[in-house]
Amino acid sequence: MGAIRRGEDFLFNQVYDFVVSRIESNEWKEHDKLPSVRQLSVELHVNRLTVLKAYQLLKKHKKVYVKDKVGYYVQPKDTFMLEYPDHPIVSAYVQKNSLSEIQQVQVEYNFSQALIDPNLLPNHYLSEYVKKVFDLYPKVLSTYSTVKGDEELREALADYFIKQYKTVIHADDLLILSGSQQGIHLVAQTFVKARDTVLIERPSYSPAIDTFKARGAQILSVDITPDGYDLNQVEQYMKLYKPRLFYMNPTFHNPTGYTVPTRQRKQLVQLAEQYQCLLVEDDSYHDIYFDHKKPPPPVYTYDFSGTVIYIRSFCKYISPGLRVATIICQSSSHMKTLLSVRALTDNGSPLLNQKIFLHYFSSPRLQQHLEKLRIALQVRKEIMEKELSRTNWNWSSPGGGLNLWVQLPDNLSTDSLLSKAITHSISFVPGQICDPIKKLPSSMRLSYSYANEKQLQQGLQKLIQIAQEND
Amino acid sequence: MGAIRRGEDFLFNQVYDFVVSRIESNEWKEHDKLPSVRQLSVELHVNRLTVLKAYQLLKKHKKVYVKDKVGYYVQPKDTFMLEYPDHPIVSAYVQKNSLSEIQQVQVEYNFSQALIDPNLLPNHYLSEYVKKVFDLYPKVLSTYSTVKGDEELREALADYFIKQYKTVIHADDLLILSGSQQGIHLVAQTFVKARDTVLIERPSYSPAIDTFKARGAQILSVDITPDGYDLNQVEQYMKLYKPRLFYMNPTFHNPTGYTVPTRQRKQLVQLAEQYQCLLVEDDSYHDIYFDHKKPPPPVYTYDFSGTVIYIRSFCKYISPGLRVATIICQSSSHMKTLLSVRALTDNGSPLLNQKIFLHYFSSPRLQQHLEKLRIALQVRKEIMEKELSRTNWNWSSPGGGLNLWVQLPDNLSTDSLLSKAITHSISFVPGQICDPIKKLPSSMRLSYSYANEKQLQQGLQKLIQIAQEND
């Protein structure tokens, strides 16, 4: 595959996007006839061949269909955007959120939510901290936080990171978020424009894929394996496609649970600096490690030039109801842009939530909670693995995180397994949803964090039985 | 002004945006030489004249400058984006937030924040409600809300709206927001694509202007006066430019305080239906009315076809620290898209904040608080007006809201007045910032809600003195 020829690509993409935006906005409705190639080429002042090529790709992507040999018509919605081309670059303005569609289904055996069972969370302690917060800050509810976030919290977090990783950062390098999804969205809003290239791991966290696609980015996927990335592939992509950023999740990766080794972390920072590609490091499971084996330090700790934007979430395992996460961004110019975009997004996170979080985060009870939580989650993981060991399915046992990434035999489609599982009140995430290029038909993500021990055992047994009936 | 010629406009805008995005992303740095007209025309496969015209407009917009007669160079940042063309349509990808830049300055006499003095807010009562919430929902902090928002809160709000305006809506028509700015941003994300036309009042709420500009919209401004809009102008614009939406703030309008009369509200809905233009009604000051005179019912109450998206904020006058607002959207297909975009934005508002708000909102104490607050704000408004009455400045006394929109003599620039005022620890919002086309050099917005009575009196006296020294 050669380098992109920008000029040709430019006009071609314009025409493609022009049509897609008309269809998505419903200006051109299902089964409407598109303008003829000649008409549109005149209207948009482009070559007929460019329009024809765009129409052909639109057809391939099932956005339009051909009737009477020459007419192009808008494809009805039910088949729209379901297929992606067999090509590492996919481009689309998609306002889609595949994962949330699955999670809207209520089931008894929930293996699709990478959330922690509320019974494992410190509900009682937190209510106490809330009362403390009101004694300390009687006007907390009538005060706006700054857009960047509460200074006291940013200082406490900066101290924590310095102690953990022995690298210096400042409270000013932190921006408080209402959850890590907001961080991904903010980064996409701030640094990615339509048609920019973005690197994403394959597989990856599906709402991140959807976020960058909705921004109109061209997605280029980088394989992740238990050994990390193929850095030659990464370098090649950075060189050829000049991506704006690489969205990565190198620690107990979602969905696979893989962890990128320390050596690669350092090399990645060097590559990213050399090719001026931002590294966006999403780190939501850092503290959920098993067997007392801490993961390697985050990629940002190897960065001294502001190349890494680090998104660290705590809320999953402390208090999902508070929704507190943070960005570390050591480039002051990037931070300035992030703040300006964040202000327009929601003016910053509520102060109350930040103050409650601060007081719990700074207390010794947090460490006690985490130790117990790690053990409880490891037990649940092992129950799931024990059930799976009765099958011929494959997975690589993760050192942390909330998920198993399971490979079924090639003849089994996890997409059709899900349809059947849901009728038995079982949900999981089919691999296709985690794949930027919508393949991986026989993989699935099973979360062991939300269901309790009994549900894990019973649900897995049922799921395996359903799969084997179809084998 | 004739209709837009789409084909020409299309290519021309592509080239313009191509250059702007390179500059904004810092790929092309200050004082870098741009590709020659010939080079870029070859590279982008467009006519040389198209590139030349784009370069000329870029020069006019101070994004590039010309040196050695023929070379185009990137304009340094300090003069970048400060000026806009003398044309009702402005197009730019701007990640900018003019208002927050002023508000970062700490001053003693703050007339730039349209926020309510925390001393006027129900701090004590709210802490009590918080404790109640933890008794009622012990697991509130370990539970995610749904993306749409807490059902109990949506039902309570739907009941409230039905009682207030006698029009039926359902809890399912509501989407809970973390503040009204998030609503504006969400609507822009969901319904506006680059180069779509958007109608905005002139003047308007500056972060809304910045949000739609950042989205790449073409902004077309609709004058607002004490009598409302010129509906012929609105119809003409809807007919000619097919705007996606009209962002409006028809009740105690920010910054002017004007209220659009009932008759126009009905007509607007008809026009919007006819021309398929969404009406986005931002209603943040509805309950802040003076002399017991309630404003007319919201525009959404006249809509039976899902043409209005209504953003209602409560947090300003109940608890800015909670950040709770809501959208009413009666079109189920629009609601579906809003939800899908919202999920990618931040997965929904924190549950804790919604539950605290619910219990206060449903209590009789809220009405008592509001009655007192209205009186306190009216007193502050009158103090401000009394000081202003000693000048030859003009304003139209508002029936509600938090701001006065003041016209100074033509020879006075509020922009330069602000620079001087800030050295005397006084801030306000110069009219230019509230103007989509960046004119209105002698207007300013003075908020009377944040400063206390003494600060209002002293600060205004100082401000008038500074202005008169320069007159």
Side-chain angles (χ1 to χ4, degrees), chain A residues 214-309:
Chain A
R215 194 71 189 146
Q218 318 243 33
I219 305 232
L220 201 53
S221 58
V222 172
D223 292 328
I224 182 164
T225 68
D227 303 321
Y229 313 117
D230 172 353
L231 287 187
N232 289 327
Q233 189 197 31
V234 173
E235 175 159 17
Q236 197 65 3
Y237 280 175
M238 287 186 177
K239 204 166 177 173
L240 278 178
Y241 298 102
K242 310 221 173 314
R244 286 275 173 228
L245 59 86
F246 181 6
Y247 168 79
M248 37 179 230
N249 178 208
T251 306
F252 309 134
H253 173 260
N254 182 353
T256 65
Y258 306 152
T259 292
V260 173
T262 304
R263 180 181 41 78
Q264 286 206 349
R265 293 178 181 234
K266 294 181 195 166
Q267 287 169 333
L268 264 172
V269 173
Q270 284 163 4
L271 283 179
E273 266 179 34
Q274 184 179 345
Y275 295 103
Q276 296 187 287
C277 171
L278 284 176
L279 296 179
V280 178
E281 181 181 17
D282 187 353
D283 200 4
S284 292
Y285 300 152
H286 199 95
D287 292 309
I288 308 296
Y289 51 85
F290 303 139
D291 295 321
H292 307 285
K293 282 187 200 139
K294 283 194 183 183
V299 176
Y300 94 82
T301 60
Y302 302 104
D303 167 34
F304 304 99
S305 65
T307 302
V308 181
I309 293 181

Side-chain angles (χ1 to χ4, degrees), chain B residues 6-275:
Chain B
R6 191 156 64 177
E8 233 176 67
D9 195 54
F10 175 79
L11 280 187
F12 172 79
N13 274 328
Q14 301 311 310
V15 176
Y16 183 100
D17 292 345
F18 180 87
V19 175
V20 169
S21 72
R22 262 65 200 168
I23 297 176
E24 292 197 358
S25 66
N26 229 12
E27 201 171 308
W28 296 355
K29 296 184 176 55
E30 297 183 5
H31 303 296
D32 273 5
K33 192 167 192 283
L34 268 63
S36 72
V37 170
R38 204 187 61 80
Q39 270 176 320
L40 198 65
S41 79
V42 170
E43 195 181 339
L44 302 183
H45 289 223
V46 296
N47 197 296
R48 282 192 208 179
L49 200 61
T50 309
V51 177
L52 183 64
K53 276 197 206 158
Y55 275 18
Q56 284 170 341
L57 190 67
L58 286 160
K59 187 186 157 215
K60 195 174 165 200
H61 292 183
K62 306 255 156 90
K63 287 177 177 49
V64 304
Y65 65 94
V66 175
K67 209 170 67 181
D68 309 330
K69 298 224 170 113
V70 289
Y72 288 84
Y73 294 81
V74 176
Q75 183 90 16
K77 284 278 155 60
D78 50 351
T79 54
F80 180 68
M81 288 316 301
L82 287 179
E83 290 192 30
Y84 288 81
D86 185 15
H87 189 279
I89 290 191
V90 287
S91 165
Y93 285 94
V94 206
Q95 298 288 23
K96 199 175 162 62
N97 185 337
S98 321
L99 196 56
S100 90
E101 284 165 24
I102 294 177
Q103 290 170 348
Q104 276 160 25
V105 186
Q106 294 284 327
V107 292
E108 196 181 339
Y109 306 100
N110 190 328
F111 310 137
S112 67
Q113 300 260 29
L115 300 178
I116 292 171
D117 178 0
N119 292 311
L120 298 180
L121 294 174
N123 300 297
H124 178 62
Y125 293 159
L126 273 173
S127 347
E128 280 178 32
Y129 284 96
V130 172
K131 286 162 194 163
K132 203 166 149 188
V133 161
F134 277 91
D135 293 339
L136 281 167
Y137 317 95
K139 289 189 183 167
V140 63
L141 284 176
S142 54
T143 316
Y144 278 93
S145 165
T146 61
V147 173
K148 202 168 197 168
D150 181 52
E151 199 173 342
E152 206 184 352
L153 175 58
R154 287 187 288 108
E155 276 169 5
L157 287 172
D159 279 354
Y160 167 83
F161 286 120
I162 292 170
K163 274 183 204 133
Q164 287 284 309
Y165 310 118
K166 319 284 180 225
T167 49
V168 177
I169 55 157
H170 302 279
D172 269 350
D173 302 332
L174 271 71
L175 162 60
I176 305 298
L177 299 164
S178 296
S180 61
Q181 179 61 34
Q182 188 176 59
I184 301 169
H185 187 259
L186 180 61
V187 163
Q189 291 279 306
T190 309
F191 300 110
V192 179
K193 293 206 186 335
R195 288 176 294 285
D196 279 349
T197 301
V198 162
L199 302 186
I200 294 190
E201 291 147 346
R202 179 179 186 219
S204 180
Y205 175 55
S206 132
I209 303 172
D210 291 340
T211 302
F212 290 108
K213 277 190 183 162
R215 194 70 188 148
Q218 317 243 33
I219 305 236
L220 202 52
S221 58
V222 172
D223 292 329
I224 182 163
T225 67
D227 303 322
Y229 313 118
D230 171 353
L231 288 187
N232 289 328
Q233 188 197 30
V234 172
E235 176 159 17
Q236 197 66 1
Y237 281 175
M238 287 187 177
K239 204 167 175 174
L240 277 178
Y241 298 102
K242 309 221 174 313
R244 286 276 173 228
L245 59 86
F246 180 6
Y247 168 79
M248 36 179 232
N249 178 208
T251 306
F252 310 134
H253 173 260
N254 182 352
T256 65
Y258 305 152
T259 292
V260 173
T262 304
R263 182 181 38 80
Q264 286 206 350
R265 292 177 183 234
K266 292 180 196 168
Q267 288 169 332
L268 265 171
V269 172
Q270 283 164 3
L271 283 179
E273 265 179 35
Q274 185 181 344
Y275 295 104

